[in-house]
Amino acid sequence: MLSAWNNIKLRNAVLQILYVGGFVALIVTLIVMGRTNLQEQGIISGFDFLWKATGWEVSFSLIEFTSRDPYWLVLVVGLLNTLFLGVIGLVLATVIGVIIGMARTSANDLARLLGATYVEIFRNIPLIVQVFFWYAVVTRFPGPRQAINVGDSLFLSSRGLYAPGLNITGLSAFLGIVAFLTGLGVIVWVSSAQQFRRMEPARKSRLRWLILLVAFVVTTVIFWIGRLPDTTLVSMPALKGLNFRGGIRVSTELSAMAISIAIYGGAYIAEIVRGGFKSVGRGQIEAAQSVGLTNWQVFSRIRFPLALRAMLPILANQYVWLIKATTMGIAIGFTDFFMVVSTAINQSGQTLELLGILMGGFLIINFTLAAVLNRINRAIALKGDQLRT
Amino acid sequence: MTGDMGRPSILAMLRTRYFSTLGNAILSIISFSILALITWKVLDWAVFSAVFSAANGPEACKAVDGACWAVIDARWRLILFGLYPHEEHWRSGLACGVVVLMTVLSCLPYFWNGRSISIIWIGGFLAFYFLMKGGIFGMPVVDEQRWGGLSLTVFIFLTTVLVGTPLSILLALLRRSELPWISGVTGIIIDSVRSLPLLTILFAFAVVLPFLLPDWASGDKLYRAILGSALFFAAYQAEIIRGGMQGVPKGQEEAAKSLGVRYRHRIQRILLPQAFKNALPATINQFVITFKETSLFIIIGFFEILASGNAAYGTGNWTFAFVEVYAFIALIYFAFVFSLSRYGAFLERRMDVGDQ
């Protein structure tokens, strides 16, 4: 017996089998126990419930959804809402982050102070406190009749923000925006990727304009296909009776979530941007200045591309974090993926299956986002022949 | 007349710093106006035209434009202590004081060795727990269900860290194991936990688990949620410690091995002390994030500081004073998070200097 324990190969094999076996046994026990427990409560496991009608409604949806629609559709609604909020939040947070980050690296110490104040205040207060705060703010706007009127086209009221919109379905609006953003992404990729490095500047510029045009046309076509019958394409909000008609309504929940994610995420992204610019060596900037490049050229050809390479991997993590943060919408009743799943668990009792779908959904979203950002990162990373220092 | 020498140089300095070019001048003016405007507005709102005393009730606030700190004056006990029995509030306050003392002590390099830190944290936790729970020295027992406000937030944070830290060391060691299956499975566990939102893990542990487990194995909801939060903390902290371990030169461990030092002592006396030192700034950062994330417990139905704040302005005649309540809560978080993260940045700079 003792000699068997001293046999390293055997010992290692036994240890590994015990560890992996123990882990698998734990998971299997949990699932089996859960199933029997749920069966006692009269809930049959399986995915059949996905095709049953839900019997409840969601407060915000990009696609048509009624209480007679099945469970799988409500999950899609939640997933689209999460992605929708995620895209808005990430874009706004990036814009804020870049502006504040630039201020923090500015040579002007007043601008630096302004940036530092912003970052320190909003980064050090938990996101959920900010969500509750902004929700309290947006729900305390005056009612529709006394709504704050911005140029007769924007109305701020306690029921939400009303803006001019297109009479199109939510899905086509979402797809159109995604298509346009994809176009912008391709342009960034063309400008900075290895494959296009040796292309003539004039041709490259023509290529970029072409892509922009294609993205614009595709977006317009998507909008056109998705337009609602018997309406004008553009609709303006107008007060009719007790509420607004026409235009698009940005619900208070969505705007509170988008504002908080943008502000909180912006503070973090600002720090990443600052770190990226700080990592660019002084020598490289001085070399560029000494060969006579203008300030703008130094920025756009030297500092920005080098800083972008340094910040992209960290930025990728931050984006994944912000997408995960959309789950906080449940606190104020924004029907994101998480809220939809937890309501479905409450209503249908299909705990195990829905929990599996919830975790699977987030794993897929995060791995996809990480994979895309890694691709971009690899495409613009410095390759062997560029690494002369 | 020493000022005569200084005056032109100050003007010149101002000119080169803030008005060197047109762009710089515009930037300076915009930044200065924004800063001045915000400072003035905030000071005016929070100090000059504010009402501080609740003696005249909420009506006194409606007469002025400034902040209504009266709501804090009237409801601070609710925000800080939740539903804890009124005459025992001193215990809750003292318990929070113990934790502040504990945090300050563990920031002093004098106590930076395994034994002192463990004694400080475990001792501090026990002091906190028995002060809150009672049952000794003639203090009446107060159950966890009645804990709330700031003390519940602190309790969640403490327990998460105390359970999560040993777990994170274990996970980090398992992940760097030489046995491929052990490191592989641990890697899958860590990565899956890290790619899920904390909220879904809390939800699974607090709300879903009782459906799956028989009654005798479910335990209390608060402790289940804390277990979930500890697991989440451990998954992140394990990666930080692993990063710290990678900073320890491989030769050191091999040298110890060749001298016949046992695995336990190699880890305890050579690897971990250095790994912790390397990982210190990131660890402090992780503590800060964990403290901020305790606020998520409100969503799964606990009466922590944010929930008690919502209750403080949500009832009675104070519904208009939400900004003041949130500002108060934000200030509490800010004080803790800002000072700890400043301390982390200071340590990082100090260690950078040491390494050069």
Side-chain angles (χ1 to χ4, degrees):
Chain A
M1 198 57 216
L2 198 69
S3 65
W5 184 244
N6 281 335
N7 180 342
I8 286 196
K9 258 190 187 160
L10 189 66
R11 196 175 70 186
N12 285 350
V14 170
L15 277 178
Q16 298 199 61
I17 290 169
L18 280 181
Y19 185 68
V20 177
F23 180 64
V24 173
L26 180 72
I27 302 267
V28 170
T29 319
L30 266 182
I31 292 181
V32 169
M33 271 209 304
R35 273 189 63 164
T36 43
N37 248 16
L38 290 172
Q39 255 155 14
E40 277 167 22
Q41 297 162 26
I43 293 162
I44 305 142
S45 51
F47 287 90
D48 293 339
F49 74 98
L50 285 176
W51 281 266
K52 287 192 195 126
T54 56
W56 37 278
E57 310 221 339
V58 292
S59 63
F60 176 80
S61 171
L62 292 171
I63 55 179
E64 197 74 18
F65 183 82
T66 64
S67 57
R68 287 187 304 281
D69 283 321
Y71 269 98
W72 67 264
L73 195 65
V74 85
L75 294 176
V76 173
V77 166
L79 200 59
L80 282 178
N81 284 351
T82 290
L83 292 176
F84 184 62
L85 173 61
V87 169
I88 297 178
L90 291 192
V91 171
L92 289 178
T94 310
V95 172
I96 294 180
V98 169
I99 295 171
I100 303 288
M102 299 291 297
R104 291 212 67 182
T105 49
S106 148
N108 187 315
D109 21 334
L110 282 173
R112 277 210 307 276
L113 181 64
L114 190 63
T117 314
Y118 178 91
V119 168
E120 293 301 350
I121 287 177
F122 291 110
R123 202 177 54 158
N124 290 330
I125 297 170
L127 176 56
I128 185 111
V129 178
Q130 302 191 32
V131 168
F132 272 109
F133 174 76
W134 288 112
Y135 188 60
V137 169
V138 293
T139 48
R140 272 170 178 76
F141 275 121
R145 280 166 166 276
Q146 288 86 35
I148 300 165
N149 182 342
V150 184
D152 268 342
S153 52
L154 272 181
F155 297 94
L156 289 165
S157 80
S158 60
R159 302 249 180 109
L161 165 76
Y162 293 84
L166 301 170
N167 274 322
I168 54 176
T169 62
L171 183 65
S172 80
F174 178 72
L175 288 177
I177 292 168
V178 168
F180 194 71
L181 286 177
T182 313
L184 291 184
V186 172
I187 290 176
V188 172
W189 176 64
V190 165
S191 315
S192 49
Q194 272 296 297
Q195 286 91 322
F196 301 91
R197 213 182 90 212
R198 297 186 197 288
M199 194 185 257
E200 268 172 64
R203 259 188 75 198
K204 205 166 167 176
S205 163
R206 270 205 304 281
L207 184 65
R208 274 191 294 227
W209 282 111
L210 187 72
I211 296 170
L212 190 64
L213 189 71
V214 169
F216 191 73
V217 169
V218 169
T219 308
T220 317
V221 168
I222 291 177
F223 283 171
W224 188 254
I225 291 171
R227 78 190 184 283
L228 300 173
D230 310 321
T231 49
T232 53
L233 190 57
V234 179
S235 87
M236 300 291 285
L239 192 63
K240 289 217 177 93
L242 288 173
N243 211 343
F244 284 96
R245 292 284 150 78
I248 47 173
R249 170 176 168 261
V250 182
S251 70
T252 47
E253 291 85 19
L254 177 64
S255 34
M257 282 307 291
I259 294 172
S260 350
I261 288 184
I263 288 181
Y264 185 80
Y268 272 92
I269 292 175
E271 282 303 273
I272 296 171
V273 170
R274 181 173 80 115
F277 278 106
K278 257 178 72 180
S279 74
V280 180
R282 275 209 69 77
Q284 273 164 309
I285 297 168
E286 279 162 7
Q289 281 164 342
S290 71
V291 295
L293 298 189
T294 63
N295 274 341
W296 171 247
Q297 281 171 327
V298 173
F299 176 77
S300 65
R301 303 280 162 86
I302 312 288
R303 284 184 68 198
F304 184 70
L306 286 170
L308 189 65
R309 285 183 178 120
M311 57 194 160
L312 248 185
I314 320 170
L315 209 53
N317 282 337
Q318 191 60 41
Y319 282 164
V320 170
W321 194 94
L322 286 176
I323 290 274
K324 289 197 278 183
T326 57
T327 49
M328 285 178 205
I330 196 173
I332 56 171
F334 178 71
T335 42
D336 70 330
F337 189 47
F338 177 57
M339 181 163 176
V340 163
V341 170
S342 69
T343 317
I345 288 181
N346 266 336
Q347 296 289 326
S348 73
Q350 305 284 348
T351 315
L352 279 174
E353 298 80 1
L354 283 163
L355 204 60
I357 292 175
L358 175 70
M359 309 227 156
F362 271 103
L363 290 181
I364 291 172
I365 295 177
N366 287 336
F367 279 127
T368 320
L369 187 62
V372 169
L373 288 163
N374 278 338
R375 270 309 295 261
I376 297 177
N377 192 22
R378 236 174 303 145
I380 67 167
L382 290 174
K383 297 279 159 38
D385 66 325
Q386 286 179 316
L387 277 175
R388 280 180 226 114
T389 44
Chain B
M1 289 290 118
T2 45
D4 281 343
M5 290 297 287
R7 204 172 291 150
S9 76
I10 284 174
L11 268 181
M13 183 211 61
L14 277 181
R15 189 178 303 141
T16 50
R17 264 200 182 171
Y18 303 115
F19 300 98
S20 57
T21 61
L22 182 65
N24 196 11
I26 294 173
L27 189 62
S28 300
I29 291 168
I30 291 178
S31 308
F32 182 78
S33 345
I34 294 179
L35 279 170
L37 190 73
I38 291 175
T39 314
W40 168 245
K41 284 270 179 201
V42 168
L43 271 182
D44 182 45
W45 175 78
V47 183
F48 301 138
S49 19
V51 175
F52 288 94
S53 157
N56 300 326
E59 277 65 35
C61 291
K62 289 178 178 155
V64 295
D65 292 335
C68 178
W69 299 119
V71 65
I72 309 295
D73 191 24
R75 296 284 162 88
W76 64 274
R77 279 177 182 266
L78 177 63
I79 298 177
L80 291 186
F81 306 127
L83 300 177
Y84 207 76
H86 189 274
E87 57 281 5
E88 308 290 332
H89 277 175
W90 62 273
R91 275 160 57 185
S92 193
L94 193 62
C96 291
V98 168
V99 174
V100 171
L101 179 71
M102 195 177 105
T103 317
V104 171
L105 284 185
S106 38
C107 284
L108 301 175
Y110 179 76
F111 295 107
W112 284 355
N113 51 69
R115 192 142 46 102
S116 308
I117 285 285
S118 313
I119 290 174
I120 289 177
W121 277 73
I122 294 174
F125 175 76
L126 290 177
F128 181 91
Y129 183 78
F130 284 112
L131 266 173
M132 290 293 289
K133 181 95 176 182
I136 49 166
F137 304 129
M139 294 186 290
V141 175
V142 181
D143 276 333
E144 280 91 336
Q145 277 81 10
R146 296 177 71 188
W147 298 7
L150 180 63
S151 22
L152 183 61
T153 295
V154 169
F155 179 69
I156 294 168
F157 170 68
L158 269 187
T159 329
T160 299
V161 167
L162 274 181
V163 176
T165 305
L167 192 61
S168 70
I169 298 173
L170 186 70
L171 283 175
L173 286 175
L174 285 172
R175 186 158 198 184
R176 68 188 285 286
S177 159
E178 285 158 8
L179 307 176
W181 278 92
I182 291 188
S183 66
V185 169
T186 315
I188 292 176
I189 298 175
I190 292 178
D191 286 342
S192 322
V193 173
R194 278 162 56 96
S195 59
L196 289 172
L198 173 59
L199 202 47
T200 60
I201 293 178
L202 290 182
F203 178 73
F205 272 78
V207 183
V208 178
L209 215 53
F211 288 107
L212 308 183
L213 292 178
D215 281 342
W216 55 266
S218 301
D220 187 67
K221 185 181 172 192
L222 177 63
Y223 289 104
R224 276 202 314 275
I226 290 178
L227 193 66
S229 146
L231 180 69
F232 189 76
F233 170 79
Y236 277 84
Q237 183 61 19
E239 288 296 278
I240 292 173
I241 295 179
R242 191 169 72 109
M245 286 175 178
Q246 277 169 352
V248 180
K250 235 178 151 42
Q252 294 202 10
E253 231 194 323
E254 283 162 5
K257 223 176 192 172
S258 70
L259 287 173
V261 181
R262 294 169 55 183
Y263 177 78
R264 207 173 69 122
H265 289 160
R266 286 206 305 272
I267 300 295
Q268 229 172 45
R269 304 203 176 143
I270 296 170
L271 188 67
L272 279 183
Q274 301 188 67
F276 272 125
K277 181 186 170 282
N278 292 343
L280 196 56
T283 303
I284 290 178
N285 193 27
Q286 189 58 38
F287 273 51
V288 164
I289 292 173
T290 307
F291 185 69
K292 281 198 286 180
E293 277 172 344
T294 56
S295 51
L296 286 180
F297 273 64
I298 188 183
I299 297 177
I300 47 170
F302 290 103
F303 204 70
E304 46 71 80
I305 189 166
L306 185 53
S308 61
N310 279 345
Y313 81 81
T315 54
N317 307 319
W318 298 104
T319 43
F320 62 93
F322 68 96
V323 179
E324 290 81 356
V325 172
Y326 286 131
F328 182 64
I329 295 171
L331 210 63
I332 292 176
Y333 273 108
F334 184 85
F336 184 85
V337 172
F338 181 71
S339 43
L340 256 195
S341 64
R342 283 293 93 192
Y343 175 72
F346 158 74
L347 273 188
E348 204 164 351
R349 269 200 309 277
R350 209 180 79 152
M351 280 158 71
D352 278 352
V353 172
D355 287 344
Q356 273 167 9

